[in-house]
């Protein structure tokens, strides 16, 4: 543990060094009584654990993020790449303040951030100014090789925000307080009954709740043992990643360190105590989860997610309804929605809490220039925030910005994947070619292959060829399709997922082919009578009242000439068509030479060819169409008609 002497000689030393002249502070009565030590190893923080707990409990509004358990779990998960530099302030032998800090590269920040929604100083009541002064003085003296100290997620009423303006003048010149965000919350100490009557009485929420109750028994079950919590964390991670992928965002749970961190939180905190990890179930089937904290009369919704395959039941809203009912009976002070700007929070929140970031700059040109930049932020941020709020409240603009974010996320994901695989140049050339064809004239040719399996009572079923056992063909639900979009962005574009969800709701199915665990094939099928299928998928009927299995959209790995995936896929389709007594109708694009060859080898005949000409492509930015875009003029023309086999 690095130790600074009493504050007075420390500041004298700093001023004599030349580059610390701004720390020449006026002598005060408390300087000779305080000393500061900088902990550089976490074991040194463990030695003052009882003092840490005492200081935390002394604040009736303290957050879970300032507990030693939180710090310990976070350090176990993230500390391997960081340097601990936490000032501990003493009065004699008594600890009166702790400023938990770490150094990430050349930036000093709070221990626990950015994963902590709120951060603050730990100290005795009434000693905030002097503790903060001594701690920052030790930071300048004892912590080497840093360019900026960055304290983020500071609530407006936290200790640092309330007292940073009262620091000694020389030190105050080096700190800049900048607005950074707004958190949505519900303050319950006034008009409590009116608030819950309004929230729980919302017609939309009650209708969603009643719909789910009609489907079965709905329960919100708390996971009270560490073993059960560990089991559900795996489900929580999976569905959180899926939910964020659908929104065009990268889930925090996609990072191994964050998953390890939540697992460490379960180990450090008693699941039956401050931690509330609960699952919403329908007849025992998990639908939604939340990972929250109840501390000092405040409920904080930290992380939550739901199963996308249960979207129609709106499990997220039903979960929130249960949490509000719990808060009505058990939460005394506040219901905090935590960080994030999701739209649902604005519907339920009754209060907005402003948060800040505090920048502490060293001397020199770099610190001076950054100080001016952050000073400018204090003026520009309110205007930017106002524009963001206006955009979010305007439904059309909000949907447009969301589409742009999701589309950009999908494009960047494809670029990164191509770069990892060394295919960036071919990917770029192929993408430019597709873009030119779509903008100028999108001419898409497709052959329709038909194989009638049950035209009459004497018709023999399809001969089933042996597939390729190396390729595994499976079907899935919407959540599985989101996984494919995350794993293989070339096969499924994120912005098309809402349209694909509508396909699944109509009864269509998708098949994925995996080889050695990697996606090599994706195809969509639809069933019905020929007239229904073709009128919906192709615009033309060739026979009437025939049960048909239609393959209308397929994808394989670019550049792959191996027909194993198609061969196995056709084998599975033939088995399904045989068991359900269906004809097979398959649409094959002109650029799918491998698929066409495999169809011809297995006895499928090309019945006719369609050409779709599209000009002046219009991107359905607000509607999220299933195709990702619509054309202003579109036609499908039968070029070559052949007699149907058996007619």
């Amino acid at each position: 543990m690095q130790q600074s002497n009493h504050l007075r000689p420390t500041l004298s030393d700093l001023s004599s060094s030349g580059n610390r002249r701004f720390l020449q502070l006026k002598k005060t009565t408390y300087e000779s009584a305080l000393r500061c030590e900088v902990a550089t190893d976490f074991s040194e923080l463990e030695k003052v654990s009882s003092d840490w707990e005492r200081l935390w409990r002394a604040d009736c509004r303290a957050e879970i993020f300032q507990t030693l358990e939180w710090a310990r779990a976070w350090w176990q998960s993230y500390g391997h790449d960081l340097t601990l530099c936490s000032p501990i302030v003493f009065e004699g032998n008594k600890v009166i303040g702790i400023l938990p800090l770490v150094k990430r590269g050349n930036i000093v920040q709070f221990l626990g951030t950015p994963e902590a929604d709120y951060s603050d100083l730990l100290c005795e009541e009434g000693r905030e100014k002097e503790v903060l002064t001594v701690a920052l003085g030790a930071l300048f003296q004892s912590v080497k090789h840093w360019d900026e100290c960055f304290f983020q997620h500071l609530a407006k009423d936290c200790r640092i925000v309330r007292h940073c303006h009262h620091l000694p003048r020389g030190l105050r010149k080096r700190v800049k307080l900048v607005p950074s965000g707004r958190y949505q919350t519900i303050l319950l100490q006034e008009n409590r009954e009116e608030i819950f009557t309004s929230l729980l009485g919302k017609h939309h929420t009650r209708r969603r709740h009643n719909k789910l109750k009609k489907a079965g028994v709905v329960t919100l079950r708390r996971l009270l043992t560490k073993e059960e919590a560990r089991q559900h964390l795996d489900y929580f991670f999976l569905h959180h990643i899926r939910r964020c992928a659908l929104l065009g965002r990268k889930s925090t749970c996609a990072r191994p360190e964050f998953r390890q961190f939540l697992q460490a939180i379960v180990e450090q905190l008693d699941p039956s105590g401050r931690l509330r990890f609960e699952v919403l179930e329908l007849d025992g089937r998990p639908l939604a989860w939340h990972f929250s904290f109840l501390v000092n009369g405040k409920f904080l919704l930290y992380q939550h997610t739901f199963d996308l395959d249960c979207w129609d039941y709106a499990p997220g809203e039903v979960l929130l309804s249960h949490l509000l009912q719990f808060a009505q009976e058990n939460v005394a002070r506040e219901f905090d929605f935590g960080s994030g700007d999701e739209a649902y929070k604005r519907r339920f929140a009754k209060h907005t809490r402003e948060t800040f970031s505090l920048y502490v700059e060293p001397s020199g040109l770099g610190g001076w220039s950054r100080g001016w930049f952050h000073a400018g932020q204090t003026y520009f941020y309110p205007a930017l925030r106002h524009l963001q709020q206006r955009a979010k409240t305007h439904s059309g603009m909000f949907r447009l910005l969301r589409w742009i974010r999701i589309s950009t996320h999908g494009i960047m994901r494809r670029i990164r994947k191509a770069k990892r695989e060394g295919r960036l140049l071919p990917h770029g050339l192929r993408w430019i070619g597709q873009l030119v064809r779509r903008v100028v004239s999108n001419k898409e040719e497709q052959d329709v292959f038909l194989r009638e399996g049950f035209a009459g009572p004497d018709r023999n079923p399809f001969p089933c060829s042996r597939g390729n056992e190396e390729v595994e063909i499976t079907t899935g639900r919407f959540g599985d399709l989101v996984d494919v979009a995350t794993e293989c962005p070339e096969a499924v574009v994120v912005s098309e997922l809402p349209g694909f969800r509508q396909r699944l709701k109509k009864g269509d199915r998708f098949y994925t082919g995996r080889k050695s665990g990697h996606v090599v094939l994706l195809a969509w099928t639809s069933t019905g009578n020929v007239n229904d299928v073709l009128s919906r998928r192709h615009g033309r009927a060739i026979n009437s009242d025939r049960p048909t299995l239609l393959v209308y959209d397929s994808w394989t790995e670019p550049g792959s000439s191996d027909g194993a995936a198609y061969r196995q896929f056709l084998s599975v389709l033939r088995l399904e068509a045989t068991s359900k007594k269906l004809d097979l109708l398959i649409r094959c694009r002109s650029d799918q030479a491998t698929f066409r060859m495999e169809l011809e080898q297995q006895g499928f005949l090309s019945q006719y060819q369609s050409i779709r000409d599209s000009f002046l492509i219009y991107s359905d930015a607000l509607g999220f169409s299933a195709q990702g875009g619509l054309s202003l003029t579109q036609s499908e023309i039968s070029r070559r008609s052949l007699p149907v086999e058996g007619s």
Side-chain angles (χ1 to χ4, degrees):
M1 181 179 290
Q2 298 179 7
Q3 179 172 338
S4 66
N5 296 322
H6 295 295
L7 186 60
R8 185 176 179 182
T10 295
L11 295 177
S12 176
D13 293 341
L14 289 175
S15 62
S16 64
S17 66
N19 64 344
R20 297 290 189 267
R21 288 192 299 272
F22 67 91
L23 283 179
Q24 293 180 3
L25 308 179
K26 293 182 179 180
K27 180 178 178 180
T28 59
T29 57
Y30 60 83
E31 287 179 352
S32 60
L34 301 184
R35 62 186 176 88
C36 184
E37 299 178 1
V38 178
T40 57
D41 190 273
F42 201 84
S43 62
E44 297 167 7
L45 293 180
E46 295 283 8
K47 293 177 182 178
V48 295
S49 59
S50 59
D51 295 293
W52 188 313
E53 182 72 11
R54 171 177 55 82
L55 294 174
W56 184 85
R57 290 186 178 277
D59 184 3
C60 63
R61 304 175 70 88
E63 303 281 355
I64 187 68
F65 310 108
Q66 281 80 63
T67 62
L68 183 59
E69 291 86 355
W70 175 278
R72 188 183 293 122
W74 190 89
W75 183 256
Q76 290 174 0
S77 306
Y78 294 93
H80 50 84
D81 291 329
L82 307 175
T83 302
L84 192 70
C85 53
S86 300
I88 304 174
V89 181
F90 294 83
E91 185 176 42
N93 293 324
K94 180 182 179 182
V95 176
I96 66 168
I98 302 174
L99 187 61
L101 301 179
V102 296
K103 187 157 70 77
R104 187 191 299 268
N106 59 352
I107 303 295
V108 176
Q109 65 182 48
F110 269 116
L111 190 156
T113 56
E115 284 67 35
D117 285 357
Y118 297 101
S119 302
D120 202 3
L121 168 74
L122 288 157
C123 73
E124 291 186 351
E125 189 68 27
R127 310 294 297 272
E128 294 88 354
K129 174 186 173 182
E130 50 189 303
V131 168
L132 187 58
T133 300
V134 173
L136 291 180
L139 175 68
F140 281 106
Q141 180 194 19
S142 302
V143 181
K144 307 298 183 182
H145 310 299
W146 59 274
D147 295 332
E148 187 172 61
C149 182
F150 175 32
F151 299 160
Q152 63 184 129
H153 300 170
L154 301 173
K156 187 175 182 178
D157 57 350
C158 77
R159 288 187 169 106
I160 291 181
V161 173
R162 285 188 285 117
H163 294 278
C164 67
H165 299 296
H166 305 293
L167 292 171
R169 182 179 178 182
L171 188 57
R172 192 168 63 245
K173 291 181 180 179
R174 292 294 166 177
V175 300
K176 296 293 185 295
L177 189 65
V178 179
S180 60
R182 294 177 180 271
Y183 290 0
Q184 306 298 323
T185 186
I186 305 172
L187 302 180
L188 304 175
Q189 293 174 323
E190 296 182 3
N191 303 323
R192 181 186 183 88
E193 293 305 320
E194 294 180 13
I195 290 174
F196 282 111
T197 300
S198 171
L199 294 174
L200 296 174
K202 289 181 180 291
H203 174 71
H204 182 73
T205 301
R206 287 190 289 107
R207 182 164 55 86
R208 295 290 194 183
H209 200 176
N210 292 335
K211 178 181 179 180
L212 187 56
K213 288 175 65 176
K214 291 179 181 178
V217 179
V218 182
T219 57
L220 181 63
R221 184 168 62 89
R222 188 175 183 185
L223 307 174
L224 295 174
T225 66
K226 293 182 179 181
E227 181 179 359
E228 193 173 25
R230 293 188 206 103
Q231 294 173 353
H232 275 268
L233 272 177
D234 292 334
Y235 296 108
F236 180 88
F237 297 149
L238 171 65
H239 292 288
H240 196 279
I241 293 171
R242 286 178 173 178
R243 176 69 178 131
C244 290
L246 185 63
L247 297 174
R249 296 173 178 169
K250 184 175 181 179
S251 167
T252 53
C253 295
R255 303 198 304 263
E257 296 88 354
F258 188 78
R259 295 197 298 270
Q260 180 183 347
F261 169 61
L262 289 192
Q263 292 166 349
I265 285 289
V266 169
E267 299 299 324
Q268 292 294 328
L269 295 177
D270 183 3
S272 62
R274 298 168 183 168
L275 172 63
R276 296 194 67 87
F277 187 22
E278 296 180 308
V279 54
L280 181 73
E281 296 177 327
L282 175 65
D283 292 336
R285 176 192 173 184
L287 301 183
W289 298 259
H290 78 95
F291 197 94
S292 307
F293 305 100
L294 179 57
V295 176
N296 290 330
K298 174 180 177 177
F299 183 92
L300 188 136
L301 186 60
Y302 183 62
Q303 296 283 344
H304 58 98
T305 190
F306 63 88
D307 187 347
L308 293 178
D309 295 322
C310 305
W311 189 315
D312 291 336
Y313 289 119
E317 290 198 25
V318 176
L319 172 64
L320 182 57
S321 174
H322 278 273
L323 294 181
L324 291 173
Q325 292 175 16
F326 169 81
Q328 185 177 21
E329 301 173 1
N330 301 279
V331 178
R333 183 166 58 90
E334 183 178 350
F335 187 102
D336 194 329
F337 290 94
S339 62
D341 58 352
E342 292 86 348
Y344 81 90
K345 295 180 179 179
R346 295 191 295 273
R347 297 206 320 266
F348 288 91
K350 301 293 183 180
H351 179 75
T352 299
R353 174 178 289 114
E354 191 172 10
T355 59
F356 296 84
S357 295
L358 184 75
Y359 296 87
V360 183
E361 307 293 352
S363 62
L365 181 60
W368 178 83
S369 60
R370 281 191 296 269
W372 275 103
F373 173 76
H374 296 313
Q377 282 184 295
T378 61
Y379 296 99
F380 294 131
Y381 177 82
L384 179 61
R385 188 71 186 177
H386 178 71
L387 291 176
Q388 290 176 339
Q389 291 299 117
R390 289 290 299 272
K392 291 176 181 177
T393 55
H394 189 279
S395 60
M397 181 61 66
F398 174 75
R399 296 177 68 186
L400 174 61
L401 293 176
R402 182 177 62 179
W403 178 84
I404 292 174
R405 185 191 70 232
I406 293 174
S407 299
T408 303
H409 177 78
I411 292 172
M412 295 307 299
R413 185 181 289 275
R414 277 176 282 175
I415 291 175
R416 286 192 295 267
K417 184 174 186 293
K419 186 176 181 180
R420 287 196 306 268
E421 297 175 353
R423 297 187 293 106
L424 188 57
L425 181 59
H427 172 81
L429 294 175
R430 184 170 60 254
W431 182 81
I432 292 174
Q434 293 173 352
L435 182 62
V436 171
R437 286 195 300 270
R438 289 178 181 178
V439 172
V440 179
S441 176
N442 185 19
K443 185 175 182 180
E444 181 181 345
E445 298 182 3
Q446 289 190 343
D447 282 334
V448 179
F449 291 82
L450 177 67
R451 185 71 164 88
E452 295 179 295
F454 297 93
D458 298 330
R459 173 72 62 185
N460 293 323
F462 296 123
C464 295
S465 62
R466 180 178 177 82
N468 190 313
E469 296 180 355
E470 293 182 358
V471 180
E472 181 185 8
I473 305 294
T474 59
T475 62
R477 297 185 294 183
F478 183 62
D480 302 305
L481 190 62
V482 177
D483 291 342
V484 175
T486 303
E487 175 186 347
C488 191
E490 290 182 335
V492 178
V493 180
V494 175
S495 59
E496 296 179 353
L497 285 172
F500 291 154
R501 178 171 170 264
Q502 296 303 317
R503 292 186 184 183
L504 292 171
K505 289 182 67 174
K506 292 177 181 178
D508 292 3
R509 304 173 69 187
F510 74 91
Y511 290 79
T512 55
R514 291 181 178 272
K515 186 174 184 179
S516 301
H518 300 289
V519 177
V520 295
L521 176 141
L522 179 74
W524 284 88
T525 66
S526 180
T527 57
N529 292 331
V530 173
N531 271 330
D532 297 334
V533 169
L534 290 179
S535 62
R536 180 154 61 99
R537 300 297 179 192
H538 198 273
R540 176 190 176 100
I542 59 175
N543 208 339
S544 61
D545 301 327
R546 296 185 58 82
T548 302
L549 175 63
L550 169 69
V551 180
Y552 64 89
D553 197 1
S554 60
W555 170 93
T556 54
E557 268 191 314
S560 175
S561 59
D562 184 8
Y566 280 129
R567 189 157 51 251
Q568 181 71 357
F569 175 55
L570 290 175
S571 178
V572 170
L573 289 182
R574 293 161 78 101
L575 287 172
E576 181 177 349
T578 301
S579 62
K580 296 180 180 179
K581 298 186 177 181
L582 301 174
D583 290 337
L584 263 179
L585 190 66
I586 300 176
R587 298 175 66 171
C588 177
R589 296 193 311 273
S590 59
D591 60 342
Q592 295 177 303
T594 305
F595 193 16
R596 182 187 307 274
M597 184 182 303
E598 194 63 37
L599 286 167
E600 293 173 349
Q601 289 179 356
Q602 295 199 24
F604 288 83
L605 299 178
S606 176
Q607 298 299 302
Y608 61 92
Q609 185 182 62
S610 72
I611 301 176
R612 185 177 68 175
D613 292 318
S614 303
F615 303 95
L616 303 177
I617 294 300
Y618 162 70
S619 180
D620 187 10
L622 303 183
F624 291 92
S625 69
Q627 301 297 329
L630 298 174
S631 60
L632 294 179
T633 60
Q634 177 173 304
S635 61
E636 294 194 6
I637 308 167
S638 176
R639 265 287 181 83
R640 172 168 50 88
S641 181
L642 299 177
V644 178
E645 181 182 356
S647 60

